[in-house]
Amino acid sequence: MIRLSAFFVVALVASASFPHAFAADVASVQCTIKSVDLTTRSVTVAYTVGTAEKLITLDVSRNAKITIKGQEVTLDALTAGDKATVEYNKELAIVTKIEAAGELLDGWTFIVLKDQAVYPTPDSAFIVSREGTLVCTAQSGWMLVTNRSYSEMVFSIEFQHPTNGKAPGGILMVGRANPVEGLSWSKDLGPRMTIEIKLWPQKCGEIFLPRPDFRAELPLGQIRDGRTVTRVRSKNAEQGQWNKMEVECDSHRNVTVKLNGELVNAIAKAENISGRIAIWPTSDCEIKFRNPTVTMGGKEEKLEFNVTGVIKPK
């Protein structure tokens, strides 16, 4: 079962398919989260009737109160497999409250992006120095994805390209893809659900959107060519030096991109900004990363390069 992105949707049943112990207007049921679809803002849950497990997909109110272990979160923070109590208003045909018993996950998952003769492994793809620097080797075909989802936040990270004349690729991504439950991350599937921000020296800060019809406005007068949003300033990343990329996603679904403190790109009123953060080295030469941080509500949190899981394509 995938997490966050529902590639199949069980038909919504607004009538009382849950157990009969529901109140007249509000149903409250113990269930298991199976998947969450941020595009339709719906949640698929499993519950038991007798000895049979039933699945149902329910719309979630934008004003729904969602908590994990008592901590208020957004819909994208729910995790497949979590036990939860869901309150469903049958008259309005919408979920108004979700109390999940799971945990907010820290760390990163190592994802193999496509079928390969020899799968990259964490040991072959990178090392983490004693100082916490992520040193990506000359093996591509993988990415690191945060276990936790984010929406309104500022993500910052420092990166360094080598000075050997090569133009190593690297991409930061924010979006609704959630691979931790075994999503097959083929080249045509996983990256296409995210907003990609290029780290290539000559294109640093260029935005690549999930689809040609992805809804977003261009507040800085940039040029959009299908999925590509050009930079407003041709500020390049310096090879052999540490550069800093900052990506801010705000409550109005605006995304701003800064390189070494200077605004280089932005989109406004994006169709979706919630999801995991990914680091994706895209070429066969070394690139380094350090000091990844997320700031939410004025509180800064450092994201250590702690890899807690490995996923290969199915």
Side-chain angles (χ1 to χ4, degrees), residues 34-287:
K34 288 296 184 179
S35 64
V36 178
D37 191 328
L38 297 180
T39 301
T40 60
R41 195 168 175 81
S42 62
V43 58
T44 299
V45 300
Y47 62 99
T48 302
V49 178
T51 59
E53 183 181 79
K54 303 290 186 179
L55 288 177
I56 188 171
T57 297
L58 304 168
D59 292 335
V60 179
S61 168
R62 292 193 176 277
N63 296 321
K65 183 176 181 181
I66 304 171
T67 60
I68 297 178
K69 283 197 168 181
Q71 180 178 342
E72 194 160 349
V73 297
T74 54
L75 182 63
D76 57 320
L78 295 178
T79 300
D82 267 355
K83 303 298 182 182
T85 301
V86 172
E87 290 189 4
Y88 179 75
N89 188 306
K90 293 187 285 184
E91 182 178 354
L92 300 176
I94 200 165
V95 172
T96 56
K97 186 177 182 180
I98 301 175
E99 296 179 339
E103 298 181 359
L104 294 172
L105 300 175
D106 294 318
W108 303 73
T109 294
F110 179 84
I111 308 294
V112 178
L113 289 177
K114 56 185 178 180
D115 293 323
Q116 300 170 68
V118 178
Y119 284 128
T121 65
D123 289 339
S124 66
F126 64 84
I127 61 172
V128 178
S129 71
R130 291 182 179 178
E131 296 77 24
T133 299
L134 178 74
V135 182
C136 305
T137 65
Q139 184 177 20
S140 59
W142 59 274
M143 66 168 58
L144 289 182
V145 182
T146 58
N147 294 335
R148 186 188 295 189
S149 292
Y150 301 91
S151 53
E152 299 169 25
M153 56 87 186
V154 178
F155 176 68
S156 67
I157 194 167
E158 297 175 37
F159 62 98
Q160 184 184 92
H161 298 304
T163 57
N164 57 9
K166 294 184 179 180
I171 294 177
L172 300 178
M173 302 195 294
V174 291
R176 66 188 182 88
N178 183 347
V180 182
E181 288 300 315
L183 178 64
S184 179
W185 274 74
S186 68
K187 185 175 182 181
D188 294 326
L189 177 59
R192 296 299 180 255
M193 295 183 293
T194 58
I195 297 171
E196 303 173 12
I197 300 165
K198 294 183 179 178
L199 300 179
W200 304 340
Q202 305 305 316
K203 294 185 178 181
C204 203
E206 184 177 280
I207 295 175
F208 196 61
L209 300 174
R211 308 182 314 275
D213 62 346
F214 184 85
R215 297 189 303 276
E217 298 179 3
L218 306 182
L220 305 177
Q222 311 100 302
I223 296 174
R224 176 173 177 174
D225 182 8
R227 296 167 59 190
T228 300
V229 178
T230 59
R231 300 176 296 171
V232 69
R233 292 181 178 84
S234 296
K235 184 178 178 63
N236 296 330
E238 297 293 334
Q239 291 186 238
Q241 300 181 20
W242 285 105
N243 299 273
K244 184 176 182 179
M245 180 68 76
E246 295 176 85
V247 182
E248 179 177 1
C249 303
D250 67 21
S251 59
H252 302 289
R253 303 194 311 279
N254 302 325
V255 180
T256 57
V257 180
K258 292 182 179 180
L259 175 61
N260 296 328
E262 183 177 346
L263 179 66
V264 294
N265 214 341
I267 56 176
K269 299 179 181 178
E271 180 178 320
N272 178 67
I273 61 170
S274 299
R276 268 58 178 165
I277 298 169
I279 296 175
W280 180 13
T282 58
S283 60
D284 294 324
C285 56
E286 183 181 285
I287 183 172

